Amino acid sequence: GLPDWVRKMLVDSLSSCLGVPRSDRHAYLEEVVDMVGELLEGLESRAKDRAHSAEAVLSEAAADHAEACAARDAALAKVEAHSKDVAGCRAVLHGPGGAVERRRATEKRLELREEEQRRGEEQIVAQASLKKSVVEALAEDGELARLVAESEASRRRASQAGEGATAASEAAAEAPAESAASECADWAGGEAARRRILAGEMATLARACGVDDSLVCAIPGAFAKPAGALSAFDIVVLQQLTRGLEAHARSLDERLAETEPTRRALEAGVASERGPRAEAEVAEGFANAKLTEAEEAQRAAEIAVKGCVQAVAKASARVDAQRAEFAVAEAALASLRAGPLDAFGKFR
């Protein structure tokens, strides 16, 4: 705190002052020595203050570093805890017996039930279609049987006329002849082709209905003739076909009536699996949400760890800087004490 010229004066006079024994010194010399002593004491005090300040800042930096390390360790512990949560959520979602596996199992069971229902409905539709075909065939067969019956009735009326009524017999014979001629004309006009097609369809239908093969083989021959040209065997074939189709139609009616409880049972089976499938989907969605939440928490904890690591690095750098500052202050104080202060104390 002294001006430079005072310092220079004291330095220049210090050697002459200290070179005189204390008992022989003049009061003026003693004042100079005291001033130098005060100056050195001020230097020592400032060196001590600097060292104490550096030590206090070092302690503060060390405390901040310890706090940063604790925060980092806590963040690392959170990351580990969230990692365990993520692993647990993934196990609940994707592990054995997890939500995904349960949902897939319920979907598989539902698919099997729906497939059973589909096959059952297909069988019902097939039986109904077969019943419709049988009904249509019976209608076609019944029309043919009607024509046959009319032809037979005409023949019986003609034969009952007797030999004594020639004119009446001839008239009765001419009527069937005219009818047969008209029928042959219709036959030649495309009825033959239609009957051949119908004969194939009838044979296929009869085979599907379980009609005896010997009867099925006779169907084309019976259907390939005009009604007036049918033989007694053809008529028997048509009659047996009609009976067979009627019997199968009754059987189909019974089967269709029996399928209603089965259809309801299949529908109930499908409905019973839809509930668990919906519950499994909800559980999977909840597990997915929990996993997403856990992963987000883990990412946040990892970001916090990075921030804490950076804070620890800054605190460590500050501690190193303050430790160096404290060492410099301590060295300066030690140098002052070992040098000027020690020498001044000896010569004072």
Side-chain angles (χ1 to χ4, degrees):
L2 297 174
D4 291 341
W5 66 272
V6 177
R7 289 174 181 273
K8 187 176 184 303
M9 180 190 71
L10 290 174
V11 171
D12 291 341
S13 61
L14 183 59
S15 58
S16 60
C17 292
L18 292 178
V20 178
R22 188 172 188 178
S23 60
D24 298 335
R25 291 175 193 166
H26 188 273
Y28 170 73
L29 297 177
E30 206 47 53
E31 289 180 2
V32 172
V33 172
D34 290 341
M35 291 178 65
V36 171
E38 291 176 0
L39 176 61
L40 291 175
E41 287 176 358
L43 291 174
E44 183 184 18
S45 177
R46 286 194 294 273
K48 285 181 179 179
D49 291 342
R50 179 185 176 189
H52 290 161
S53 177
E55 185 178 15
V57 174
L58 176 60
S59 299
E60 181 183 351
D64 292 342
H65 179 266
E67 183 179 352
C69 289
R72 178 201 59 194
D73 294 340
L76 287 172
K78 284 185 178 180
V79 168
E80 184 177 359
H82 288 310
S83 297
K84 291 180 180 179
D85 290 342
V86 169
C89 290
R90 284 176 179 166
V92 170
L93 182 62
H94 299 291
V100 173
E101 185 175 304
R102 292 196 300 273
R103 188 257 304 162
R104 289 175 178 171
T106 57
E107 286 182 347
K108 184 64 177 177
R109 291 196 299 270
L110 179 59
E111 289 174 359
L112 292 175
R113 290 287 191 177
E114 289 176 342
E115 178 63 20
E116 290 177 0
Q117 184 184 27
R118 186 187 62 79
R119 289 198 301 267
E121 289 177 349
E122 287 179 350
Q123 292 176 358
I124 293 173
V125 170
Q127 291 179 358
S129 177
L130 182 60
K131 169 66 184 306
K132 180 181 178 182
S133 298
V134 170
V135 170
E136 292 175 351
L138 285 172
E140 185 70 31
D141 192 28
E143 178 65 19
L144 186 61
R146 185 184 64 78
L147 294 175
V148 171
E150 290 180 357
S151 178
E152 287 297 310
S154 178
R155 287 196 183 94
R156 283 196 297 272
R157 285 194 300 272
S159 62
Q160 289 173 0
E163 295 179 355
T166 305
S169 297
E170 290 177 355
E174 287 175 0
E178 290 176 358
S179 176
S182 176
E183 185 176 359
C184 290
D186 292 339
W187 193 264
E191 182 65 14
R194 190 183 73 85
R195 285 292 180 84
R196 282 193 297 271
I197 296 173
L198 180 61
E201 294 175 351
M202 280 289 188
T204 301
L205 179 61
R207 191 172 287 108
C209 293
V211 176
D212 187 81
D213 288 342
S214 60
L215 181 60
V216 173
C217 294
I219 290 174
F223 272 82
K225 300 175 183 178
L230 293 174
S231 65
F233 176 75
D234 295 332
I235 294 173
V236 171
V237 168
L238 294 176
Q239 291 173 344
Q240 291 296 327
L241 175 61
T242 301
R243 293 191 187 98
L245 293 178
E246 290 175 345
H248 197 71
R250 289 191 296 271
S251 175
L252 288 174
D253 285 336
E254 294 174 357
R255 292 180 188 176
L256 289 172
E258 292 172 356
T259 57
E260 183 59 24
T262 302
R263 184 182 64 80
R264 288 197 297 268
L266 291 174
E267 289 179 351
V270 170
S272 68
E273 294 298 339
R274 283 179 177 157
R277 196 271 302 272
E279 293 175 359
E281 287 178 343
V282 171
E284 182 182 2
F286 180 75
N288 259 320
K290 292 293 289 183
L291 175 59
T292 300
E293 181 181 351
E295 288 175 342
E296 290 177 352
Q298 182 183 15
R299 284 192 292 270
E302 290 171 349
I303 292 172
V305 165
K306 291 180 180 179
C308 290
V309 169
Q310 292 175 355
V312 168
K314 290 180 180 179
S316 297
R318 185 184 176 202
V319 166
D320 293 340
Q322 290 305 126
R323 187 177 287 118
E325 178 68 20
F326 177 65
V328 169
E330 284 284 309
L333 179 60
S335 177
L336 179 62
R337 286 173 174 173
L341 288 175
D342 183 63
F344 181 77
K346 290 178 180 180
F347 289 102
R348 186 173 184 181

